[in-house]
Each structure stands twice: as structure tokens, then as C-alpha cells.
Amino acid sequence: MGQEGCIFCRIVGGAIPSERVYEDDFVIGIRDISPQAPTHILILPKIHIASLSELDDPALAGQLLLAAKAIALQEGLGARGYRVATNTGEWGGQSVFHLHLHVLGGRQLKGLG
Ligand code: AMP
């Protein structure tokens, strides 16, 4: 299953290897291949959704956000804090067009932009 040619669909399906740190019925969490912080996890829905702009299922939105919290706590980021972000579209800086949340932590994060 998944959208042909979508790298994150292939990661969900296991055709491309990843370091999976979290999985439930709806989403997976993997380590980013090019981490921007000591901890950098991506949370992907198992179904193909191109970006936040195409997300319309409130239950899945909740699953993604609660998975971000669960992963942050699992990764030991609860005490010092962390950031959850999703880049959307060209000007948002999105490079992979399968919706994902970034969970970043392990150092002091600066402003957005
Ligand atoms: P964005 O630019 O917000 O679309 O984020 C895409 C992220 O996917 C980047 O942080 C990349 O480093 C990451 N990425 C791309 N390919 C892979 C891969 N095969 N495994 C893990 N992370 C990846």
C-alpha cells in the first residue's frame, strides 16, 4: 500500500530501512537521517497524506500530536522541553510530501525561521 514513489510510504511499508522508535496503529516514529538536534524524530501517518493542508481527520491529528508527546517523553525530553513542528508546502520548507511532525530536542532551540 502507499503512494507510488513516496519515500515515506516506502519507509512505512519497510521497503526502505529506518530506525523506528515508535509505532501504533496509525503512525510510526523514525529517527531523521539528517538530525538537526541531538534528538530528531519524524512522526509519519501510516496512510499517505501529502501535508497538513490535506489532513482532515481530527482523530488522526490527535494521534500524531499525542505520539509526539509520547516519543518526547520516551526520548527523555520531558524535563528540559522540546519542539514539535511540521513544514507545509514550498514556503514552509517542506521537502518530503508525506505529512510528518518533527520532534526536536536535546539542546536549546532558537527561534523559528
Ligand atoms: P521536511 O523538510 O520538513 O519535509 O522534512 C523531511 C525530513 O525527512 C528531513 O529532515 C530529512 O532529513 C528527512 N529524511 C529524508 N529522507 C529520510 C530517510 N530515508 N530516513 C529518515 N529521514 C529522512
Side-chain angles (χ1 to χ4, degrees), residues 7-8 11 16-19 30-36 40 42 44 50 85-89 92-102 104:
I7 184 172
F8 282 180
I11 285 175
I16 293 177
S18 66
E19 189 181 341
I30 63 168
R31 285 198 198 282
D32 196 291
I33 203 169
S34 177
Q36 304 300 307
H40 188 171
L42 302 175
L44 331 175
T86 185
N87 300 327
T88 304
Q94 186 176 5
S95 63
V96 178
F97 287 83
H98 178 127
L99 174 63
H100 50 282
L101 302 185
H102 297 257
L104 296 150

Side-chain angles (χ1 to χ4, degrees), residues 1 31-33 41 44-45 54 59 63 66 78 99 109-110:
M1 274 287 282
R31 285 198 198 282
D32 196 291
I33 203 169
I41 308 295
L44 331 175
E54 281 74 42
Q63 293 287 343
L66 291 177
L99 174 63
L109 297 167
K110 308 291 183 202

